[in-house]
């Protein structure tokens, strides 16, 4: 309260006392009643003046902020070989239930597999383990808090970025606790398989098998590759303490169309502890289709090579780059890519229209937009000679076929002519334009809804996108698969049907299996009111699962979750129209969590070293408790909160004032003065 306010209150008290004095006690006989009236009147006047002055009354409250103690426990299947659930939960309960720990810390419990989950109930059932993501998510939850992060894990990671390079943020101290058996056993394992997802009929497809050996003695084993019960490839192998890895390469024949499953198996060592990692199953889809793509141009540009590379990344496709001046038989190609056309392409467009061939238009700095506008394709642009850069933004509402965002937010811009692009509703937009951080709503990459199919890309320097994808993923596979789906859709000659389904021909175990469908009305417009039902059956079982498909954006989806290995048949029926479609897929057995023989002690030690911490074992929880209690980093902090409240907000003061007035009135009434 300021000195000025104190002066005002003092004056108010003097005024109240003076007024009541002159009214009841000055130059009048002083009776006992007058003193009572004097007291009541001076009090009421003082309260009124006090409310008019409205001084602020400050109050201070105190709060004790405890540091956070965040427990992250690995709940993946590999932990089942490392720890007993009941025993681990008992040890954790002892730590969390310790009175000193509870007094010092605010405790939070989480478990993790592929993602972070709240709670401390363990069952070691998660199919994947991603410690890096779990620690990042925990820090995001408690981003403004300080404390300790305790990671309980066997250190075996099957998903995500390498956790060994995780760095704790300021204020949150990481304590890794390694669980399970850290001893090293002799073990043979198949670490990785490199194989294409597709193969062309009657071609040979390559296979790379990466094998590892842990042990000190010389061993001999045999690698075999099975197709069904037949051995299609075998090789004798030798390992020793100095020779611990081997890469075996083989070429297999794609002899028939369809999904083919194989099993790679290496003979186990004598008394080998873990034989789950001695075999791997994989599948490949053999396709009897070849797509010839013509890239038509009248210039030299690096984008041409990028298109050719991504098209031919799939062995079932072949691309040719030809000049517009050459004599070309368009009928020999399933798709034509028109690269930066001008009026010299007029004859080509006429031939494309006559033959009903699908094509893909790519524009850039040399494109003649007056020529494109004259074709009346459903898009036009009043372009200037000025160039501008445009960034891609993935359209999550696109649902014509299955596409996922492959990281377009980090891609470099394309170069295009300045001007507004106008287009009609005949196009499904895949990528939209963003200029200087502002989404314009104009398409960058789109395909037509009608036939013959037609797609366009507005901009050049497409090769930079492919290079950026390589920097992000260390390969071209993600990028080539995304645009390969686009090429496949444009080149497809199948007529559009009212019920279309999208699924993979085979899936690996421990992954979510999703089947998507689209239902169209008689005008081939997406109908969100459809009632779609799926019937799913394992060929080796008599039981079938029936479920409804859920509407998501512009498609219907069924999530089958994780299915056991085997072959599955399914049919999807739209109940109102009776339209139905069927398909089949295979689930190939593979569980990455069963590939480990012991805990990853080295990885957990590196994580502790990276964060300048100490690695603990399960039998050292008492030492960990002492570290938590004795460290000056984890001291509770007392915070004070000062609050200034205007006196007029004290509503009970108003009741006091009313009570004073009421007391004076009733007293006057009692004396008969009213």
């Amino acid at each position: 309260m300021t000195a000025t306010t104190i002066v005002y209150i003092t004056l108010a008290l003097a005024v109240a006392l003076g007024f009541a004095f002159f009214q009841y006690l000055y130059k009048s006989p002083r009776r006992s009643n007058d003193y009572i009236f004097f007291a009541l009147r001076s009090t009421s006047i003082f309260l009124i003046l006090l409310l008019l002055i409205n001084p602020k009354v400050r109050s201070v409250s105190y709060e004790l902020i405890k540091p956070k103690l965040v427990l992250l426990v690995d709940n993946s299947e590999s932990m089942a070989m490392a720890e007993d659930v009941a025993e681990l939960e008992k040890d954790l309960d002892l730590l969390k239930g310790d009175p000193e720990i509870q007094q010092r810390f605010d405790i939070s419990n989480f478990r993790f597999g592929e993602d972070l989950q709240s709670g401390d109930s363990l069952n070691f059932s998660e199919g994947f383990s991603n410690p890096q993501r779990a620690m990042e998510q925990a820090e995001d939850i408690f981003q403004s808090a300080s404390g300790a992060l305790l990671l309980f894990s066997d250190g075996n990671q099957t998903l995500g970025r390498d956790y060994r390079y995780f760095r704790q943020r300021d204020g949150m101290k990481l304590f890794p606790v390694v669980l399970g058996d850290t001893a090293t056993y002799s073990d043979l394992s198949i670490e990785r398989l490199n194989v294409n997802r597709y193969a062309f009929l009657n071609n040979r497809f390559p296979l790379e098998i990466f094998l590892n050996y842990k042990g000190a003695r010389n061993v001999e084993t045999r690698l075999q590759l099975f197709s069904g019960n037949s051995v299609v490839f075998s090789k004798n192998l030798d390992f020793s303490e100095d020779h611990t890895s081997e890469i075996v390469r083989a070429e297999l024949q794609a002899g028939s169309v369809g999904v083919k499953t194989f099993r790679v198996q290496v003979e186990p060592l004598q008394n080998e502890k873990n034989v789950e990692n001695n075999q791997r199953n994989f599948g490949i889809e053999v396709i009897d289709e070849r797509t010839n793509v013509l890239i038509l141009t009248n210039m030299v540009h690096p984008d041409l090579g990028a298109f050719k590379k991504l098209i031919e990344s799939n062995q079932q496709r072949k691309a040719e780059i030809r000049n517009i001046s050459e004599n070309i038989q368009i009928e020999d190609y399933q798709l034509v890519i028109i690269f930066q056309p001008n009026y010299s392409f007029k004859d080509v467009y006429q031939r494309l229209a006559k033959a009903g061939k699908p094509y893909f238009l790519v524009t850039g700095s040399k494109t003649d937009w007056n020529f494109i506008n004259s074709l009346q394709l459903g898009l036009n642009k009043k372009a200037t000679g000025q160039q501008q850069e445009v960034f891609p933004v993935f359209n999550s509402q696109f649902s014509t076929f299955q596409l996922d965002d492959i990281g377009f937010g980090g891609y470099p811009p394309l170069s295009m002519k300045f001007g507004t692009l106008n287009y009609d509703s005949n196009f499904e937009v895949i990528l939209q334009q963003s200029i200087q951080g502002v989404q314009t709503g104009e398409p960058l990459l789109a395909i037509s809804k009608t036939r013959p199919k037609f797609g366009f890309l507005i901009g050049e320097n497409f090769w930079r996108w492919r290079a950026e994808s390589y920097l992000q993923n260390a390969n071209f596979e993600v990028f080539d698969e995304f645009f390969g789906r686009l090429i496949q859709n444009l080149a497809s000659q199948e007529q559009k049907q009212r019920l279309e389904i999208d699924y993979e021909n085979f899936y690996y175990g421990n992954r979510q299996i999703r089947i998507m469908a689209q239902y169209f009305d008689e005008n081939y417009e997406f109908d969100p009111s459809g009632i779609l039902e799926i019937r799913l059956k394992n060929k080796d079982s008599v039981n079938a699962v029936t479920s409804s498909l859920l509407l998501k954006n512009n498609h219907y989806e069924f999530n089958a979750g994780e299915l056991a290995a085997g072959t599955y048949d399914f049919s999807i029926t739209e109940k109102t129209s009776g339209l139905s479609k069927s398909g089949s897929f295979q689930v190939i057995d593979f569980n990455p969590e069963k590939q480990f023989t012991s805990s990853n002690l080295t990885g957990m030690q590196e994580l502790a070293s990276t964060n300048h911490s100490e690695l603990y074992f399960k039998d050292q929880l008492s030492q960990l408790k002492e570290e938590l209690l004795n460290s000056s980093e984890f001291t509770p902090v007392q915070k004070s909160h000062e609050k200034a409240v205007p006196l007029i907000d004290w509503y009970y003061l108003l009741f006091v004032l009313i009570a004073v007035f009421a007391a004076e009135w009733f007293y006057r009434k009692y004396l008969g003065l009213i």
Side-chain angles (χ1 to χ4, degrees), residues 7-288:
V7 172
Y8 284 154
I9 294 175
T10 304
L11 291 175
L13 180 60
V15 169
L17 293 173
F19 182 84
F21 176 79
F22 279 102
Q23 187 172 7
Y24 293 105
L25 302 180
Y26 182 70
K27 292 183 180 181
S28 63
R30 299 181 181 180
R31 301 181 298 271
S32 59
N33 296 338
D34 294 332
Y35 288 102
I36 295 175
F37 285 128
F38 168 79
L40 292 173
R41 182 56 56 89
S42 60
T43 301
S44 61
I45 294 174
F46 176 71
L47 290 176
I48 292 173
L49 294 175
L50 192 61
L51 289 173
L52 292 174
I53 296 171
N54 193 25
K56 291 184 178 179
V57 180
R58 300 184 182 274
S59 62
V60 179
S61 61
Y62 297 93
E63 179 186 8
L64 187 65
I65 306 296
K66 295 181 181 180
K68 294 288 184 181
L69 181 61
V70 183
L71 276 63
L72 298 182
V73 186
D74 192 342
N75 195 39
S76 62
E77 289 187 40
S78 67
M79 289 285 291
M81 297 182 289
E83 291 289 338
D84 178 77
V85 172
E87 184 179 345
L88 178 58
E89 287 184 332
K90 179 181 177 182
D91 291 335
L92 293 174
D93 288 340
L94 288 175
L95 178 63
K96 295 180 295 184
D98 186 276
E100 292 180 295
I101 292 292
Q102 290 182 338
Q103 184 178 3
R104 174 69 68 89
F105 293 95
D106 182 9
I107 304 172
S108 297
N109 303 287
F110 296 92
R111 62 183 185 273
F112 69 91
E114 186 172 353
D115 283 296
L116 190 68
Q117 300 171 5
S118 177
D120 56 359
S121 177
L122 302 175
N123 53 21
F124 298 153
S125 62
E126 296 288 337
F128 295 92
S129 177
N130 191 346
Q132 168 80 17
R133 181 173 175 81
M135 290 185 287
E136 288 178 346
Q137 290 176 328
E139 286 199 343
D140 288 342
I141 294 173
F142 303 104
Q143 56 184 339
S144 60
S146 62
L149 181 65
L150 275 57
L151 174 69
F152 294 85
S153 175
D154 60 2
N156 293 319
Q157 179 177 9
T158 56
L159 194 68
R161 292 164 48 198
D162 196 333
Y163 70 88
R164 294 175 299 170
Y165 305 108
F166 171 82
R167 288 188 178 274
Q168 64 196 13
R169 66 166 177 81
D170 293 339
M172 188 65 74
K173 182 73 173 178
L174 175 66
F175 292 93
V177 181
V178 62
L179 303 176
D181 188 357
T182 57
T184 302
Y185 298 93
S186 295
D187 182 61
L188 274 174
S189 62
I190 300 172
E191 291 296 311
R192 191 171 80 236
L193 298 177
N194 281 349
V195 62
N196 290 333
R197 191 176 182 90
Y198 303 98
F200 188 65
L201 181 64
N202 297 326
N203 276 11
R204 299 184 69 82
F205 62 92
L207 169 66
E208 283 188 333
I209 308 167
F210 294 78
L211 300 108
N212 272 1
Y213 168 67
K214 295 178 182 179
R217 59 190 179 92
N218 297 341
V219 297
E220 295 180 356
T221 187
R222 183 175 180 80
L223 175 72
Q224 292 179 303
L225 177 61
F226 292 86
S227 176
N229 295 321
S230 302
V231 178
V232 295
F233 176 84
S234 65
K235 186 177 181 179
N236 294 324
L237 301 170
D238 298 315
F239 293 97
S240 66
E241 186 176 7
D242 298 324
H243 180 61
T244 59
S245 63
E246 182 87 24
I247 301 177
V248 178
R249 295 178 175 87
E251 285 193 351
L252 305 176
Q253 182 72 27
S256 59
V257 175
V259 177
K260 308 300 176 184
T261 57
F262 299 86
R263 184 176 80 257
V264 182
Q265 181 175 305
V266 58
E267 292 180 359
L269 304 175
Q270 186 176 5
N271 300 323
E272 187 171 351
K273 183 178 180 181
N274 183 13
V275 295
E276 292 282 349
N277 57 12
N278 287 51
Q279 68 175 22
R280 281 273 196 105
N281 296 313
F282 71 93
I284 190 166
E285 184 178 356
V286 181
I287 303 173
D288 186 18

Side-chain angles (χ1 to χ4, degrees), residues 327-517:
N327 184 18
I328 303 166
Q329 298 296 323
I330 291 181
E331 294 75 14
D332 296 338
Y333 302 92
Q334 283 74 50
L335 177 67
V336 180
I337 297 179
I338 306 295
F339 190 78
Q340 302 212 33
N342 52 32
Y343 274 98
S344 63
F345 285 74
K346 183 176 181 180
D347 180 61
V348 171
Y349 268 97
Q350 292 175 349
R351 293 168 62 188
L352 286 172
K354 184 177 180 181
K357 287 287 181 182
Y359 61 94
F360 184 61
L361 171 65
V362 182
T363 71
S365 59
K366 303 298 182 182
T367 301
D368 188 340
W369 274 99
N370 290 327
F371 169 65
I372 295 178
N373 296 340
S374 68
L375 298 174
Q376 297 183 350
L377 302 177
L379 72 158
N380 63 80
K381 183 176 186 176
K382 294 181 179 180
T384 67
Q386 182 180 354
Q387 297 295 307
Q388 67 177 0
E389 292 187 335
V390 57
F391 289 86
V393 177
F394 182 74
N395 178 22
S396 60
Q397 303 300 314
F398 178 80
S399 60
T400 303
F401 52 94
Q402 187 175 356
L403 286 177
D404 297 317
D405 189 354
I406 58 174
F408 286 105
Y411 277 23
L414 298 184
S415 179
M416 59 182 290
K417 288 186 175 181
F418 181 83
T420 301
L421 179 68
N422 299 309
Y423 67 104
D424 57 29
S425 59
N426 187 41
F427 296 98
E428 294 281 358
V429 179
I430 302 174
L431 297 178
Q432 297 175 332
Q433 297 182 20
S434 175
I435 300 175
Q436 295 182 349
V438 178
Q439 295 187 30
T440 65
E442 298 178 13
L444 183 61
L445 175 66
I447 60 173
S448 65
K449 300 178 183 177
T450 58
R451 290 181 179 272
K453 290 185 178 179
F454 157 49
F456 64 81
L457 173 66
I458 308 298
E460 63 178 330
N461 296 327
F462 173 81
W463 64 270
R464 293 180 179 174
W465 284 6
R466 194 166 186 263
E468 178 62 30
S469 177
Y470 185 87
L471 292 177
Q472 291 182 8
N473 305 289
N475 58 61
F476 296 110
E477 293 178 6
V478 174
F479 184 84
D480 290 350
E481 182 178 354
F482 181 94
F483 283 94
R485 285 178 175 267
L486 174 63
I487 297 298
Q488 179 183 356
N489 180 267
L490 289 173
S492 174
Q493 299 299 318
E494 297 179 2
Q495 294 296 317
K496 190 171 184 179
Q497 300 181 4
R498 290 183 59 192
L499 180 61
E500 296 184 349
I501 56 178
D502 186 11
Y503 66 99
E504 303 287 350
N505 284 327
F506 66 89
Y507 301 86
Y508 286 104
N510 277 25
R511 300 298 293 179
Q512 298 288 314
I513 296 172
R514 291 181 172 86
I515 300 173
M516 294 188 291

Side-chain angles (χ1 to χ4, degrees), residues 566-630:
T567 302
Y568 293 81
D569 295 326
F570 71 91
S571 62
I572 296 177
T573 304
E574 203 287 311
K575 306 297 288 185
T576 304
S577 63
L579 295 174
S580 179
K581 260 197 170 183
S582 60
S584 66
F585 60 86
Q586 283 186 311
V587 178
I588 300 171
D589 185 26
F590 175 63
N591 189 341
E593 289 291 324
K594 294 183 178 180
Q595 306 302 307
F596 308 104
T597 56
S598 58
S599 301
N600 186 358
L601 176 61
T602 303
M604 295 291 279
Q605 286 173 333
E606 292 183 17
L607 174 64
S609 176
T610 301
N611 293 277
H612 307 290
S613 182
E614 184 178 348
L615 179 66
Y616 290 87
F617 295 86
K618 193 179 71 168
D619 57 2
Q620 295 178 316
L621 292 183
S622 58
Q623 291 95 311
L624 176 57
K625 170 193 163 184
E626 293 300 321
E627 171 69 18
L628 294 172
L629 294 176
N630 296 329

